[in-house]
Amino acid sequence: MKTMKLSLGPLQYYWPRDTVLAFYAAIADTPVDIVYLGEAVCSRRHEMRLQDWLDVARMLRAAGKEAVLSTQVLLESGADVATMHKIAANGEFTVEANEMGAVRCLAGKASFVAGPHLNLYNADALRWMADLGATRWVMPTEMKRDDLLVLQLERPAGLETEVFALGRLPLAFSARCFTARHLNLPKDDCGFSCIAHPDGQTLRTRDDEPFLVLNGIQTQSALVYSLLQESSELAEHGVDVLRLSPQSQNMGDVIALFHAARTGALSVEEADAGLRTLLPGAECNGYWHGRPGLERVEVPA
């Protein structure tokens, strides 16, 4: 059974430029194999430009990582479309297509990664993406284990499977900015207020339970999705890559625990016990087990 690769997904939050650069400089020294880069959430976030992301990609490539440029999920303007075209035509790095416009730009011209927001749920869709040039696909975050196992048996030869294995779940994208709305600010004059929340802004119920996280135009789960205790099962069923989503604190330690589990340096149970102390919220894994997403299903050792 081959060892799964670890990937670091695109940064979901809005951080100051120096923070972003320091974060990826530290990532270069971790055992992560693939790093996705770029603004995937909101085009108003302007701390990092495309040239900055390309510079980071070259630094990571020099450190032995596979760097991938991610496109934005929700395009809202002509400028967004123009940026997407520039990313697709970069000619240097593989691109993760997160909406069908990017797929159309890349089809027949360059190999690409079919991102988790393309809603690929059946074998026909996988064959279509592979025919267009996809070399890896990322499972939709709400897909359950049994459905993935069917697709693993039917996926085209040469198409890798990547699974979102850690992070707050990206539940929805909207034309409305919920962070600005929370502050009674218009979206076009938001003051870039989401930069004050490096892991998003938690929305709580009247019973003071964490419910959702506001992240600009993106809504996330308050709980942190984790499939570390399922990682052995994922490897057995031929998953090629586990995706970890960036968080502002402890990311190097989180990567180290996943690496220790995949190499056998720690048992899955030991690694998961350590992981729970490093996350910005409690764990959940319900979707994988065909349960409500916010549930936590314990896997027997």
Side-chain angles (χ1 to χ4, degrees):
M1 183 170 59
K2 69 177 182 180
T3 301
M4 290 183 293
K5 296 179 181 179
L6 292 179
S7 74
L8 186 68
L11 178 61
Q12 302 293 305
Y13 306 107
Y14 191 29
W15 296 348
R17 182 175 185 274
D18 288 346
T19 301
V20 175
L21 295 178
F23 176 81
Y24 285 108
I27 291 300
D29 293 326
T30 69
V32 74
D33 304 289
I34 305 164
V35 184
Y36 292 83
L37 301 165
E39 180 53 60
V41 177
C42 178
S43 61
R44 286 184 57 78
R45 297 175 175 179
H46 63 287
E47 291 281 311
M48 295 285 288
R49 305 294 187 179
L50 177 56
Q51 186 58 53
D52 296 320
W53 289 118
L54 288 169
D55 290 342
V56 172
R58 293 177 185 123
M59 179 273 293
L60 290 168
R61 181 176 61 190
K65 315 299 184 188
E66 177 189 342
V68 181
L69 300 179
S70 295
T71 67
Q72 199 170 312
V73 176
L74 180 62
L75 304 182
E76 299 185 73
S77 68
D80 291 354
V81 174
T83 298
M84 180 270 289
H85 278 272
K86 290 178 182 178
I87 294 171
N90 82 89
E92 188 175 356
F93 296 99
T94 300
V95 173
E96 178 187 47
N98 279 312
E99 48 81 45
M100 288 305 299
V103 172
R104 184 174 184 273
C105 286
L106 293 159
K109 300 175 184 176
S111 60
F112 63 93
V113 178
H117 306 287
L118 294 182
N119 299 325
L120 304 175
Y121 290 103
N122 57 59
D124 287 340
L126 291 189
R127 283 190 288 269
W128 178 41
M129 283 294 121
D131 288 344
L132 293 176
T135 56
R136 183 160 65 241
W137 75 292
V138 187
M139 183 189 86
T141 54
E142 72 276 15
M143 183 178 284
K144 62 184 178 181
R145 170 187 54 203
D146 294 348
D147 291 341
L148 178 64
L149 299 189
V150 171
L151 294 187
Q152 285 295 87
L153 295 174
E154 300 181 0
R155 64 172 165 163
L159 183 68
E160 291 185 327
T161 296
E162 183 170 344
V163 172
F164 186 98
L166 186 83
R168 284 187 163 131
L169 291 164
L171 300 176
F173 294 81
S174 171
R176 170 175 288 186
C177 176
F178 295 107
T179 304
R181 178 62 179 165
H182 175 73
L183 298 172
N184 292 318
L185 295 172
K187 179 182 177 181
D188 292 338
D189 190 19
C190 64
F192 309 106
S193 50
C194 56
I195 204 168
H197 306 283
D199 289 295
Q201 187 174 13
T202 302
L203 181 67
R204 309 184 76 89
T205 68
R206 291 186 177 183
D207 295 325
D208 202 34
E209 294 291 330
F211 176 46
L212 296 170
V213 164
L214 305 181
N215 180 37
I217 68 170
Q218 183 191 62
T219 303
Q220 298 180 320
S221 63
L223 301 180
V224 180
Y225 193 68
S226 173
L227 295 182
L228 177 54
Q229 65 174 0
E230 290 85 357
S231 56
S232 297
E233 178 187 20
L234 288 161
E236 290 173 3
H237 292 295
V239 170
D240 301 283
V241 184
L242 295 184
R243 175 177 292 205
L244 317 180
S245 192
Q247 59 185 49
S248 67
Q249 303 295 321
N250 307 314
M251 197 67 227
D253 293 334
V254 167
I255 293 170
L257 286 173
F258 269 84
H259 177 63
R262 71 170 172 170
T263 60
L266 288 177
S267 70
V268 170
E269 295 74 27
E270 291 171 327
D272 191 53
L275 180 67
R276 296 185 190 204
T277 69
L278 301 174
L279 302 179
E283 290 183 339
C284 65
N285 61 358
Y287 282 146
W288 176 252
H289 295 278
R291 305 284 298 171
L294 50 70
E295 290 191 6
R296 175 66 179 176
V297 179
E298 293 296 334
V299 176

